[in-house]
Amino acid sequence: MNVHFTRSRAVLTAVGLLLAVGAPTAYATLDDGTPQRGEPYIETSLLFGTERPDGGPAVTDKQFMSFVDKEVTPDFPDGLTVQTGRGQWRDAGGTIEKERSYELVLLYPVAQAGASDRKIEEIRRAYEKAFGQESVGRVDDRARVDF
């Protein structure tokens, strides 16, 4: 009985040691669980409001898509995504503004980040000027992209 107990204890100890040594290695290869497919890209989201601070008429879908065709597509002809939504933000006077909005999503290779940054800033300024906006929001994030 004592031999059986010792053999069981030895097997359990060995299994425990294997798990203790192997688990960190297994978890290290998983990183955050994200598959490492695709190439390194930057994902930029631009957030466009449609209400005009001067009280003029809101930017229409037709006006916004015309702006995209004229100001965005020539600089980002490989593709983009436009989503509509409802947004809110605090204006320069401290008032909470709620409005119909657009999110424009651009993806571009990390190697093109410098040139793309200049183009994106031109797009933001063009929209602010064309539609009397205080600002156009911008969010940048790294992504891995595969088409």
Side-chain angles (χ1 to χ4, degrees):
M1 185 84 165
N2 207 3
V3 172
H4 180 65
F5 177 71
T6 304
R7 189 177 331 153
S8 296
R9 178 180 266 173
V11 169
L12 288 174
T13 301
V15 169
L17 285 173
L18 286 173
L19 287 174
V21 171
T25 303
Y27 286 116
T29 61
L30 292 176
D31 293 325
D32 65 355
T34 305
Q36 294 299 307
R37 294 189 189 101
E39 299 298 319
Y41 270 61
I42 303 293
E43 177 180 347
T44 297
S45 295
L46 297 179
L47 309 169
F48 299 90
T50 57
E51 297 296 320
R52 297 180 195 234
D54 65 3
V59 178
T60 65
D61 285 339
K62 184 176 180 180
Q63 288 172 316
F64 184 77
M65 291 313 298
S66 177
F67 176 84
V68 169
D69 291 344
K70 179 181 170 194
E71 300 290 339
V72 183
T73 301
D75 288 330
F76 294 92
D78 293 337
L80 54 90
T81 299
V82 174
Q83 301 178 85
T84 59
R86 300 283 313 165
Q88 78 176 42
W89 66 295
R90 187 182 311 270
D91 69 13
T95 303
I96 300 290
E97 301 287 345
K98 295 180 181 185
E99 61 189 322
R100 187 173 47 83
S101 60
Y102 297 96
E103 178 184 19
L104 174 71
V105 180
L106 302 167
L107 295 168
Y108 46 93
V110 169
Q112 296 174 10
S116 294
D117 178 68
R118 286 186 295 283
K119 294 173 186 177
I120 290 166
E121 289 306 301
E122 289 172 8
I123 291 165
R124 293 174 74 197
R125 299 304 155 253
Y127 189 82
E128 290 167 2
K129 183 178 178 183
F131 300 107
Q133 300 293 300
E134 288 183 19
S135 68
V136 171
R138 177 175 177 172
V139 179
D140 294 300
D141 202 4
R142 292 191 172 265
R144 295 194 66 85
V145 178
D146 186 22
F147 293 103

